[in-house]
């Protein structure tokens, strides 16, 4: 049993799972600062370049829920190892790509492997750490990889592109993936899934995968037809889950206010927080004139502060005051940082106008995300931990797509409306409005969390030993 495993072995398994998860998260942002170099080298059109990012997000977001269910059926370690191997191989193909088509296909396959590997990680951690206090610390480590991954990706992408070439934004995954595979075989405990005979619900899998893929594509590509089709497919998926004998996503999970509320809050929170990173990178480069490397380094304080909060004291605060209180307090800090950023200007200075809000937001994120992850998995029976893990990862990706698309549109529309004004001033005005919109997402998240999430989530009636991370 997980609770009888040596602490050192269990800690090493956690490190391997989180390192692999961090690598997958990095790939959603590491290519962002390398896109101009990729375009120049491979001859992408302006419209086609977006597919370097979109192909990954579509596959990754669309397959997370199915991947989580496969983990419950086939065994989570088996799905994790298969996904990690596929992701690593696709990273090599992406680095070697000599034309645009090969790179886009490789990125899609990367997304498939990333979904398989990352969808089951949180469920594996919950199973490994049944004790509330130890689980709170473990989820804090995992949350750091999720919260800080995008910032670290920007830093790594800028450094690798400027020092070596864009190819290395993909090659860097090879040694990490290979070592993680070898160690995972040795230290991650094998688990027995329910087996495919328990029922995969193939129709439900097709419906939800197509719905999320079309939804992510429709949001990032501003395609209303795709969005409409996604809504229809999602409605069909819900009907299917209500009638299926062995549903892909058991609707009973949503009877828990903690699970339902946490996933809804996750969409709004990620929409505001990841969208803000996209906007800030543009502000630093287009208004303050920083190059790719310095832009990446400018984000370095964010993962540092997130690490201090999520690994240092977030779990203790959740244990003392409850995850709901810590979540709402953390979101309040993020909002304060965003409101400070609404004051940026063309005469702004990184150290006085940008760095302080980044530090405040990093502190808030480091508190909020571990609490939210714990709430999302609270009351979930072991048989459903894979699909619950896939669900919270799916809502993260949906939130990221919504936030990036909405904030990019808001900023661009505001800038275009001020065409007669100095261009840098028009850009700064668009970014200020985007920061205000980000704060709006987070305010909605606080309101929803305060209304829906209980102060002390109840344990599952069917699985009494599974507790909210950090709860007493």
């Amino acid at each position: 049993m997980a609770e009888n495993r040596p602490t050192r072995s269990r800690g090493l398994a956690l490190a391997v799972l989180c390192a692999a998860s961090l690598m997958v998260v990095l790939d959603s942002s590491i290519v962002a600062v390398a896109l101009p170099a990729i375009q120049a080298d491979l001859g992408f059109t302006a419209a086609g370049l977006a597919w370097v990012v979109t192909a990954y997000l579509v596959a990754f977001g669309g397959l997370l829920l199915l991947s989580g269910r496969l983990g419950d059926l086939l065994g989570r370690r088996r799905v994790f190892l298969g996904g990690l191997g596929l992701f690593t191989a696709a990273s090599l193909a992406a680095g070697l790509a000599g034309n645009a088509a090969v790179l886009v296909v490789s990125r899609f396959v990367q997304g498939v492997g990333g979904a398989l590997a990352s969808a089951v990680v949180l469920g594996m951690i919950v199973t490994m750490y049944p004790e509330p206090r130890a689980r709170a610390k473990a989820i804090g480590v995992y949350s750091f990889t999720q919260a800080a991954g995008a910032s670290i990706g920007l830093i790594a992408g800028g450094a690798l592109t400027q020092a070596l070439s864009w190819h290395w934004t993909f090659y860097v995954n090879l040694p990490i993936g290979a070592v993680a595979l070898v160690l995972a075989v040795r230290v991650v405990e094998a688990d027995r899934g329910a087996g495919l005979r328990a029922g995969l619900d193939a129709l439900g899998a097709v419906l939800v995968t197509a719905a999320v893929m079309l939804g992510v594509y429709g949001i990032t590509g501003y395609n209303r037809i795709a969005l409409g089709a996604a809504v229809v497919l999602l409605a069909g998926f819900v009907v299917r889950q209500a009638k299926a004998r062995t549903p892909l996503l058991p609707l009973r999970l949503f009877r828990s206010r903690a699970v339902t509320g946490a996933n809804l809050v996750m969409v709004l929170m990620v929409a505001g927080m990841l969208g803000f990173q996209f906007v800030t990178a543009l502000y630093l480069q287009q208004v303050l004139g920083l190059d790719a490397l310095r832009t990446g380094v400018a984000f370095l304080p964010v993962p540092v502060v997130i690490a201090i909060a999520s690994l240092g004291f977030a779990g203790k605060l959740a244990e003392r005051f409850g995850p709901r209180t810590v979540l709402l307090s953390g979101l309040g800090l993020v909002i304060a940082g965003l409101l400070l950023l609404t004051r940026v200007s063309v005469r702004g200075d990184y150290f006085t106008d940008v760095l302080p809000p980044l530090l405040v937001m990093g502190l808030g994120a480091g508190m909020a995300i571990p609490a939210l992850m714990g709430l999302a998995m609270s009351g979930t029976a072991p048989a459903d931990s894979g699909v619950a893990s896939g669900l919270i990862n799916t809502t993260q990706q949906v939130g990221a797509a919504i936030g990036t698309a909405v904030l990019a549109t808001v900023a661009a529309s505001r800038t275009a409306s001020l065409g007669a004004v100095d261009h840098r001033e028009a850009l700064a005005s668009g970014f200020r409005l985007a920061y205000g919109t980000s704060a709006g997402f987070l305010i909605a998240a606080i309101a929803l969390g305060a209304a829906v999430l209980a102060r002390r989530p109840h344990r599952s009636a069917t699985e009494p030993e599974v507790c909210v991370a950090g709860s007493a």
Side-chain angles (χ1 to χ4, degrees), residues 163-183:
L164 298 169
S165 72
W166 66 263
H167 301 274
W168 284 91
T169 61
F170 301 111
Y171 290 151
V172 70
N173 295 328
L174 303 183
I176 301 173
V179 171
L181 274 169
V182 172
L183 290 178

Side-chain angles (χ1 to χ4, degrees), residues 25 53 56 91 107 141 167 171 190 219 260 301 305 308 314 319 332 335 349 368 377 415:
V25 172
V53 176
Y56 181 84
S91 297
R107 287 287 284 166
V141 176
H167 301 274
Y171 290 151
I219 293 168
T260 301
V305 176
I308 292 172
E319 183 179 3
I335 291 170
D349 177 78
M377 296 300 292
T415 298

Side-chain angles (χ1 to χ4, degrees), residues 313-389:
F313 56 83
K316 295 178 182 178
L317 289 176
E319 183 179 3
R320 172 67 178 84
F321 300 104
R324 175 183 179 272
T325 300
V326 176
L327 168 65
L328 299 181
S329 300
L331 292 178
L333 288 173
V334 176
I335 291 170
L338 287 167
L339 292 178
L340 287 173
L341 284 171
T342 60
R343 300 163 57 245
V344 298
S345 69
V346 294
R347 293 172 296 278
D349 177 78
Y350 169 75
F351 290 100
T352 58
D353 298 317
V354 179
L355 180 58
L358 290 184
L359 295 177
V360 173
M361 293 181 68
L363 178 61
M367 293 170 55
I369 294 178
L372 189 57
M373 291 289 186
L375 286 165
M377 296 300 292
S378 64
T380 302
D384 293 326
S385 62
V387 72
S389 175

